Amino acid sequence: MRLDGKVAIVTGGGSGIGQVIAERLASDGASVVIDYVGSPDGAQATARSIEKQNGKGEIFEADVTRIEDIQKLVDAAWNRYGSADILVNNAGIEIRADFWDTTQDDFDKVMAVNLRGPFFLAQEFVRRLRAAGKPGRIINISSVHEDMAFPGFSTYCCSKGGMRMLMRDLAVELGPLGITCNNVAPGAIITPINESLLENKPKLNALLANIPLNRLGEPKDVASVVSFLASEEASYVNGSTFVVDGGLMCNYHEQ
Ligand code: BGC
């Protein structure tokens, strides 16, 4: 299998896109450390589904906004499986607020989960790989909003725009160590993060009208690109964003 013998850490592996990425990497042969925060139910469901397909996966609670947790998460991979090869920075949140009403607390929360967490988790991962002289893969789940405006979500856009530059910087700085870094940028995918949109028919229809494929994406549409980026076939891919949005970002039409 494509990822036989590899070890992957997937943050936010208890729901949505992260859950399906963890399942996909395990079905490709990787051992997966399934990170979650709060209730373990979702992560346990991920682990059970991995077990059912005879894959290897273990859950581990770590809050990516806490440095101690980040260190423990990377330790968990090394203690359990001897090392890690692939880091998927997937955990993310969004808070809707008009720009003029956005609070410092909203800003800090979104940045802490979506940007500061991936930054320091990647740092811890790289320190371990560098000490061992091992190559690795960093795959960030960003968003079409790493590049595209999203009114009402300025904090989210700042965090994902930051993730775009983090990826580009790491591609250059870590390339000489044999560690690649790429982003996968999902558009509108059916997950808990956009539950309220899914329940709002007029908004949903307006969004669908902007998606050339005329459907929302599914987590597996994102997971298949992550699987490729984690594999040997992507060994020369470094410093790119892979948009998975049904054509949303390219679509412009006069009303
Ligand atoms: C956001 C969704 C949004 C989608 C397309 C995603 O990054 O999480 O809320 O619907 O982008 O705009």
Side-chain angles (χ1 to χ4, degrees):
M1 278 184 291
R2 205 177 214 192
L3 300 179
D4 265 343
K6 303 286 185 200
V7 178
I9 300 171
V10 179
T11 65
S15 71
I17 293 173
Q19 182 162 54
V20 177
I21 290 172
E23 290 167 357
R24 173 65 201 254
L25 298 184
S27 75
D28 288 332
S31 303
V32 184
V33 178
I34 308 155
D35 157 75
Y36 71 97
V37 69
S39 161
D41 294 355
Q44 280 165 351
T46 312
R48 274 199 302 274
S49 106
I50 289 176
E51 212 172 283
K52 253 198 219 149
Q53 34 173 12
N54 295 319
K56 285 181 241 143
E58 292 213 358
I59 69 168
F60 191 85
E61 180 169 19
D63 179 345
V64 297
T65 69
R66 296 164 57 99
I67 290 293
E68 319 83 79
D69 281 22
I70 280 174
Q71 284 164 348
K72 284 186 194 149
L73 177 59
V74 176
D75 281 346
W78 256 260
N79 294 340
R80 178 66 185 83
Y81 298 114
S83 78
D85 310 277
I86 302 152
L87 168 63
V88 183
N89 275 315
N90 162 79
I93 58 168
E94 62 187 37
I95 300 176
R96 213 218 79 80
D98 290 326
F99 176 68
W100 46 91
D101 289 330
T102 302
T103 63
Q104 290 188 18
D105 193 45
D106 293 343
F107 183 93
D108 289 345
K109 269 192 195 142
V110 172
M111 294 302 263
V113 177
N114 295 5
L115 187 58
R116 190 175 176 276
F119 185 107
F120 287 104
L121 183 51
Q123 184 186 67
E124 192 61 29
F125 178 66
V126 166
R127 282 179 175 163
R128 291 297 191 103
L129 291 178
R130 189 166 171 261
K134 282 193 60 182
R137 299 283 164 87
I138 299 171
I139 303 162
N140 299 317
I141 308 306
S142 66
S143 164
V144 289
H145 302 297
E146 69 163 47
D147 204 35
M148 189 171 79
F150 193 13
F153 292 89
S154 51
T155 52
Y156 187 72
C157 289
C158 288
S159 69
K160 298 298 185 177
M163 193 174 231
R164 175 176 167 82
M165 274 316 298
L166 174 63
M167 176 276 291
R168 295 168 74 169
D169 189 76
L170 296 191
V172 176
E173 198 165 342
L174 306 181
L177 302 178
I179 301 170
T180 63
C181 187
N182 294 286
N183 282 8
V184 178
I189 310 291
I190 303 167
T191 73
I193 209 173
N194 48 32
E195 229 159 50
S196 65
L197 168 78
L198 300 176
E199 283 158 10
N200 183 333
K201 273 266 168 223
K203 268 203 167 161
L204 184 59
N205 288 337
L207 177 61
L208 282 173
N210 282 325
I211 301 175
L213 292 184
N214 198 35
R215 70 166 175 91
L216 297 186
E218 290 178 50
K220 68 176 167 47
D221 298 321
V222 180
S224 56
V225 180
V226 175
S227 161
F228 162 68
L229 288 172
S231 77
E232 270 316 297
E233 288 165 289
S235 60
Y236 199 60
V237 180
N238 189 26
S240 290
T241 290
F242 293 77
V243 176
V244 182
D245 71 347
L248 172 69
M249 267 182 105
C250 294
N251 192 25
Y252 168 80
H253 51 255
E254 302 284 341
Q255 292 304 322

